[in-house]
Structures are given as C-alpha cells and as structure tokens.
Amino acid sequence: MLKRFYPDVYMDSAYEIDYEGLYEKGYRGIIFDIDNTLVPHGAPADARSIELFKRLRDIGYESLLLSNNKEPRVRSFSEKVNSRYIYKANKPFPKSYQKAMELMGTTAGTTFFVGDQLFTDVWGAGKIGIFTYLVKPINPKEEIQIVLKRYLERIVLFFYLRNERKQGKK
C-alpha cells in the first residue's frame, strides 16, 4: 500500500542529480516543484537555481515548474529561471502533470519529476508513470499543513529506506 508513495530515487538535493546522464538515457523534460525543492519556501530564485536552469537548457532539456502556489509566486520564480510554469496545479491530481508534458512536448517515458513532498509531488507524478526524484527539503521552516504531512512522510520513508536496504540499493 505504501509503495504508491515511494519515489524512484531519493536524494539530498535537486542540485546533485546527474542531469547529463539522464539526458543520455533519453529524458527530455523535467517537471520541478519550487518551494523547498529549488529554494526555501517563499524565497525568490537565487543564483544557484538560475544557473541550474541555464545548465538544463544548455543540455537540451525542456523544463516546467509545477506548483500548488498562486500565480504571482510561481510567475516571479519562472521569469528568473526562464521556465514555463503551471500554478494552482492541484497536485497530486494527474491533469497538471499531463498538461506539463503537453507544454514541453514530452511523454511520461521522457519526463522526470523533482520535488520534496511524497503525498503531492511524488505520488502525483508516479500515478501517471513519470520517473520521480524525491529530494530532502531545503529548509525545515514550513507552513503548518506541510509540517503535519511531514510526520506521515517519515513513516513512508522509513519503509522505503528499509526496502532499499533489503534490495542492496542504500
């Protein structure tokens, strides 16, 4: 039952992913969450995030920011990193993930998702077959509804990591 929430890969940071290697494997589109995935919650795009998106364009990727946040927040970040976006995405429902792939001209087999939450980001992308990267939240300071979900995420991550150890992956 919990496996539906498991990420394909769990990493410390979105900035540590081997984007070049994934491009060589045929991936062409990346869907990103913003808050606590790329920058602390509510923070503007910083030099590191701007450089990452430039690097991704240079590799040849299409990118899209998928956020449940309101348009002013998502648009301002998008303008700085030069990426398409969908705001009020209603993650984990599949419709926005499908729209993201349409906008990028990719499919579930050529797209991967990077986010920091299991019950919105990972679960939503996984429902439609998108490869998922769960990253650790950048900053522990979060809104109360997210803090409450983090307690449940710890349970799922416990079983995920135990499963990974049994399979010799961690």
Side-chain angles (χ1 to χ4, degrees):
M1 179 181 139
L2 293 179
K3 288 186 180 184
R4 76 179 74 178
F5 302 111
Y6 288 2
D8 292 300
V9 178
Y10 182 39
M11 297 193 70
D12 287 338
S13 169
Y15 297 97
E16 296 176 3
I17 295 171
D18 179 9
Y19 294 103
E20 290 82 0
L22 290 164
Y23 192 86
E24 288 175 16
K25 290 181 179 178
Y27 289 97
R28 296 298 181 262
I30 310 169
I31 304 171
F32 284 98
D33 177 52
I34 300 171
D35 289 319
N36 256 342
T37 297
L38 296 167
V39 293
H41 187 83
D46 57 12
R48 185 167 74 156
S49 60
I50 293 167
E51 179 56 36
L52 173 63
F53 279 80
K54 179 187 179 309
R55 177 178 152 213
L56 296 174
R57 281 189 302 279
D58 289 346
I59 294 169
Y61 280 110
E62 294 291 328
S63 67
L64 188 132
L65 302 166
L66 190 67
S67 176
N68 286 345
N69 220 317
K70 295 177 183 168
E71 187 173 22
R73 162 68 177 141
V74 182
R75 183 183 59 239
S76 67
F77 193 92
S78 167
E79 289 170 350
K80 296 278 189 188
V81 300
N82 193 21
S83 180
R84 293 182 189 99
Y85 67 92
I86 296 174
Y87 66 98
K88 288 188 179 178
N90 292 315
K91 295 181 286 183
F93 296 105
K95 189 176 181 180
S96 293
Y97 295 88
Q98 292 165 332
K99 179 70 174 170
M101 289 185 293
E102 286 173 27
L103 290 170
M104 293 188 299
T106 60
T107 65
T110 61
T111 304
F112 64 95
F113 185 92
V114 182
D116 70 300
Q117 292 188 52
L118 287 175
F119 302 130
T120 52
D121 299 331
V122 169
W123 186 33
K127 279 196 237 184
I128 61 169
I130 297 173
F131 194 83
T132 59
Y133 277 85
L134 176 69
V135 296
K136 293 179 182 174
I138 290 175
N139 189 327
K141 185 179 180 207
E142 298 180 294
E143 296 173 344
I144 188 65
Q145 70 271 18
I146 296 172
V147 170
L148 296 173
K149 283 193 282 186
R150 295 288 186 204
Y151 288 109
L152 296 173
E153 284 185 353
R154 284 190 197 123
I155 295 167
V156 175
L157 284 172
F158 170 82
F159 288 104
Y160 166 78
L161 292 170
R162 187 174 79 173
N163 185 59
E164 293 291 291
R165 279 190 298 277
K166 282 182 182 178
Q167 293 181 11
K169 294 181 182 177
K170 293 257 177 193

